[in-house]
Amino acid sequence: MKKLYMITNKTKAISLHKHSTHFRSSIIEAGSEEETSCVFRPEQIIDQNCIIYGSTLKRRQIESKHILQLKNKLPVRIIPEKNIYMFPTASIKNEACIWVAYQHIRGCIERFNKTYILFKDGTDIPVEASHRSVDLQYIRTGQLVARQNDIRLFGNASFTWLN
């Protein structure tokens, strides 16, 4: 049996491994200089971790879609008890997609026509997405965190989106 990567509060990002035929994912963790490799694709890691914590990636996406009234690039709650949320930087079918942990992000900047996500530990990663797109994903994830905590704490959402 192949070993699954367990997402923790140290997990900063999960991306497709581009330089290996055996490993399919690269994982960046806080406090580690080296990337961890895994034989599973990023969305498989996300799905299996969601299953361990009571749901599936598909179900978490439906939940996010309902709360945020969005259809694409949905942020998801991975570990509800620890408030661990991740968002994709692109469509999950896109090989450039990187899943980023919301709680580790300090911001994003554009340098030399490339967008970088800045982490709280002082590191950064380049992403194939616009500054605006990454910023919007961060904001949407924050909205999801707030709404789900509101539901958890008070039993219902106190804010309704009006279309």
Side-chain angles (χ1 to χ4, degrees), residues 65-112:
K65 182 178 180 179
H66 174 73
I67 291 170
L68 297 173
Q69 299 295 300
L70 298 171
K71 294 181 183 178
N72 302 315
K73 297 191 293 184
L74 295 162
V76 293
R77 179 172 55 156
I78 308 293
I79 306 175
E81 298 79 27
K82 294 185 179 178
N83 266 339
I84 295 178
Y85 290 76
M86 297 185 86
F87 67 80
T89 59
S91 164
I92 63 174
K93 296 188 188 317
N94 185 331
E95 289 190 359
C97 178
I98 299 173
W99 284 88
V100 185
Y102 175 79
Q103 73 273 14
H104 286 286
I105 297 173
R106 188 180 86 217
C108 66
I109 61 169
E110 202 167 318
R111 284 187 290 205
F112 311 113

Side-chain angles (χ1 to χ4, degrees), residues 104-143:
H104 286 286
I105 297 173
R106 188 180 86 217
C108 66
I109 61 169
E110 202 167 318
R111 284 187 290 205
F112 311 113
N113 295 324
K114 192 143 185 113
T115 304
Y116 291 82
I117 293 178
L118 308 173
F119 293 109
K120 292 176 183 174
D121 65 3
T123 61
D124 61 55
I125 57 169
V127 295
E128 292 184 31
S130 70
H131 180 279
R132 184 183 186 292
S133 176
V134 172
D135 193 45
L136 191 56
Q137 285 297 95
Y138 182 78
I139 291 167
R140 288 174 174 167
T141 307
Q143 290 171 334

Side-chain angles (χ1 to χ4, degrees), residues 69 147 159-163:
Q69 299 295 300
R147 296 288 305 281
F159 181 84
T160 302
W161 292 104
L162 302 174
N163 291 330

